[in-house]
Amino acid sequence: MYASFKRVIDFLFAFVGLVVLSPAFLVLGVAIKCDSHGPVIFRQKRVGIHGRLFDILKFRTMRVDTPRDMPTHLLDNPVERMTGIGPFLRRSSLDELPQLLNILCGEMSFVGPRPALWNQYDLTAERDKYGANNGRPGLTGWAQVNGRDELPIDIKARLDGDYVRHMGLWFDVRCLLLTVGSVLRSEGVAEGRPQAIESREYETQPTSFVAPETSDVGKRVPQVTDLGTCDE
């Protein structure tokens, strides 16, 4: 029942967002085009609901000679491969705005597991264990507000599975509100920084998930450098 309601809300808000933010799309598009050679929009195959592939849309933040399907953290000197405006777009998450079109088309939702790259077999397999691939991928999600790029694969997959199992209106609202705070503070963004984040081991074991009605949703899990995610 909620899934159908969620789809209607996604469509309406994506449509309104595209109309309201159309001036921002124009400004960013011109800035990207003037900043570097190549297309304004970057397309990449990602894993959608039930494992179906789709083309995710993003504002381009990397030079056109960057390997297309390699996670950013695996590149040699990834910051040097970014365009001039790329780090700003990554830190502010403005590069994600074109995904409103993905939401409008039903390929994504505002809240859900962030879609894995088509060749991130380890992340996809780990999400299968927790049922995370049974939900529509999102612009933001429970894992995003609990560490984003700094979460290891197993923790990210578990959090994504927790969201799919406990999905509901108030859970979505909480995720969206926490996302706004995370974006404003640039929390958990490992890419686009001039210096790499050093990985570190967990000092404590992650706690078991508790539904948001009775848990401290704003509480972050311990963070480490992501070893298996990419942004572009």
Side-chain angles (χ1 to χ4, degrees), residues 131-210:
N133 292 324
N134 295 328
R136 202 182 305 274
L139 186 64
T140 187
W142 186 232
Q144 292 295 101
V145 299
N146 279 286
R148 198 173 177 174
D149 293 340
E150 299 183 352
L151 290 175
I153 288 175
D154 57 336
I155 301 299
K156 177 175 290 187
R158 178 177 64 81
L159 290 171
D160 287 333
D162 288 340
Y163 169 77
V164 172
R165 288 193 301 274
H166 297 274
M167 183 174 60
L169 177 60
W170 295 118
F171 201 175
D172 282 356
V173 171
R174 285 285 186 90
C175 286
L176 290 171
L177 291 177
L178 288 170
T179 296
V180 173
S182 295
V183 169
L184 291 177
R185 294 187 296 269
S186 295
E187 286 184 352
V189 184
E191 299 162 0
R193 294 177 179 174
Q195 298 176 341
I197 300 175
E198 297 180 357
S199 63
R200 54 191 181 275
E201 295 181 353
Y202 281 97
E203 297 179 358
T204 59
Q205 293 296 319
T207 57
S208 59
F209 175 82
V210 181

Side-chain angles (χ1 to χ4, degrees), residues 16 36 61 63 65 134 143 155 169 176 190 195 200-201 212 219 221 226-227:
V16 172
S36 65
T61 60
R63 301 200 314 260
D65 59 348
N134 295 328
I155 301 299
L169 177 60
L176 290 171
Q195 298 176 341
R200 54 191 181 275
E201 295 181 353
K219 198 171 188 177
V221 298
D226 190 357
L227 301 178

Side-chain angles (χ1 to χ4, degrees), residues 46-98:
R46 294 290 179 103
V47 180
I49 186 171
H50 304 313
R52 293 193 292 266
L53 297 181
F54 71 99
D55 287 325
I56 198 172
L57 305 177
K58 306 182 73 169
F59 281 126
R60 183 174 57 84
T61 60
M62 308 292 283
R63 301 200 314 260
V64 293
D65 59 348
T66 303
R68 185 175 184 83
D69 290 324
M70 181 180 293
T72 306
H73 71 281
L74 295 180
L75 297 170
D76 294 329
N77 301 315
V79 175
E80 294 183 2
R81 290 182 176 272
M82 286 190 176
T83 62
I85 197 176
F88 165 73
L89 292 175
R90 292 271 180 118
R91 287 193 301 269
S92 63
S93 295
L94 289 174
D95 60 322
E96 313 284 1
L97 284 181

Side-chain angles (χ1 to χ4, degrees), residues 13-33:
F13 276 83
F15 180 80
V16 172
L18 286 168
V19 173
V20 173
L21 295 174
S22 56
F25 273 75
L26 179 61
V27 171
L28 291 175
V30 171
I32 293 168
K33 200 66 179 177

